[in-house]
């Protein structure tokens, strides 16, 4: 059986440094795409993991469901990363209010167009990590 933990105080303390990092990035004059992509991934991972552990934490699941749960969570994280990155770009544009935008609308749209690919990548990553976990946990499902 697989028991998912409930998120505790320590888990919520992980969100504080992430929030400070996001606020620091919003204040900088930066037009690179990779930091906003990582921030979107981080926000999506935090929100989806907290939501999943809050709803499913403390319950027992057969180990055979681990790949399915991890793949679904990976799909949600990948999909949310694209949306969160575009949201970060929008808020940075709104906060700085330059004549020439830090992130033009075409770039934000291109980030949203990558949502299906990022969802697939997240699902495959979750599936792969869960299969590695099953192999190294020493028990067959």
């Amino acid at each position: 059986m697989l028991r998912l933990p409930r998120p505790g105080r320590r888990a919520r303390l992980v969100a504080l440094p992430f929030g400070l990092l996001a606020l620091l990035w919003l204040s900088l004059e930066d037009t690179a795409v990779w930091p906003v992509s990582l921030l979107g991934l981080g926000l999506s991972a935090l929100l989806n993991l907290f939501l999943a552990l809050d709803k499913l934490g403390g319950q027992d699941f057969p180990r055979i469901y681990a790949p399915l749960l991890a793949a679904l969570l990976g799909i949600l994280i990948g999909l949310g990363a694209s949306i969160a990155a575009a949201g970060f770009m929008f808020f940075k544009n709104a906060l700085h209010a330059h004549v020439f935008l830090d992130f033009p609308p075409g770039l934000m749209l291109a980030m949203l167009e990558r949502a299906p690919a990022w969802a697939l990548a997240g699902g495959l990553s979750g599936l792969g990590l869960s299969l590695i976990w099953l192999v190294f946990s020493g028990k067959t499902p």
Side-chain angles (χ1 to χ4, degrees), residues 41-85:
L41 176 64
L43 180 64
S44 178
L46 281 174
L47 291 177
N48 282 304
L49 285 173
F50 283 153
L51 182 67
L53 291 179
D54 186 49
K55 299 296 180 192
L56 301 176
Q59 298 179 14
D60 290 329
F61 295 97
R63 296 171 60 85
I64 194 71
Y65 292 133
L68 177 65
L69 290 173
L72 288 175
L73 187 61
I75 288 170
L76 290 175
I77 289 173
L79 184 64
S82 173
I83 296 168

Side-chain angles (χ1 to χ4, degrees), residues 77-131:
I77 289 173
L79 184 64
S82 173
I83 296 168
F88 273 124
M89 288 177 175
F90 175 77
F91 283 116
K92 188 162 189 171
N93 283 339
L95 181 67
H96 289 211
H98 297 305
V99 174
F100 298 104
L101 299 175
D102 290 339
F103 300 104
L107 183 60
M108 290 188 283
L109 184 61
M111 188 64 71
L112 291 173
E113 288 173 349
R114 283 161 175 70
W118 286 15
L120 179 64
L124 291 175
S125 297
L127 178 64
L129 288 173
S130 69
L131 291 176

Side-chain angles (χ1 to χ4, degrees), residues 18-33:
F18 177 80
L20 290 174
L21 181 66
L23 286 175
L24 176 69
W25 176 81
L26 280 170
S27 66
L28 296 176
E29 290 292 334
D30 182 27
T31 59
V33 176

